[in-house]
Amino acid sequence: MNKNELRNTPDKIERLSNNEVFVFGSNLAGFHGGGAAAVAFRKFGAQWGKGIGHFGQSYGIPTMQGGVDTIRPYVDEFIVYAKRHPELTFLVTKIGCGIAGFTCEEIAPLFAETVEMQNVYLPVEFRNIITKI
């Protein structure tokens, strides 16, 4: 098994270690009513009314405001944040691939820079797409 395989986000996340952060797709208004956003709100400290950034053990990346180009700046902001916080492990869910309606093929390339980051775990689907680019 190579080092990238060890850094895949589990399909279902029930609990986190103290240094782990649940990265989920949100909406700009921070209404965390469904999907991974609801999990982030109920279990991992996402705050109602705050759709961007790190709260508790969650990090919201808005995905509901338009096309992929509108998501890219928020993913870029997340990558900068993750680089500044090597003490944290970020478990990226399949953001945008549920309620927002995007495919893994559309969203995964936004995370290409994170493949070599030791503190960012990606869904296996994202990693497989990125490593084929």
Side-chain angles (χ1 to χ4, degrees), residues 18-122:
N18 289 337
N19 70 322
E20 292 179 328
V21 178
F22 182 84
V23 182
F24 67 99
S26 65
N27 59 65
L28 288 168
F31 298 155
H32 309 305
V39 173
F41 178 68
R42 285 193 316 268
K43 291 187 168 194
F44 304 128
Q47 293 184 8
W48 197 264
K50 298 190 180 186
I52 306 166
H54 188 184
F55 297 97
Q57 284 187 274
S58 68
Y59 189 105
I61 297 176
T63 61
M64 303 287 289
Q65 66 280 349
V68 173
D69 287 342
T70 70
I71 299 169
R72 182 181 309 279
Y74 297 108
V75 172
D76 291 346
E77 185 178 318
F78 160 73
I79 293 169
V80 169
Y81 188 83
K83 286 180 178 178
R84 289 184 181 157
H85 293 279
E87 75 282 6
L88 298 174
T89 299
F90 296 91
L91 305 177
V92 177
T93 62
K94 288 190 276 188
I95 72 150
C97 299
I99 296 168
F102 295 98
T103 65
C104 289
E105 290 77 16
E106 292 173 301
I107 300 297
L110 301 178
F111 289 90
E113 188 177 342
T114 68
V115 169
E116 296 302 322
M117 293 173 64
Q118 294 301 307
N119 67 331
V120 177
Y121 286 49
L122 295 174

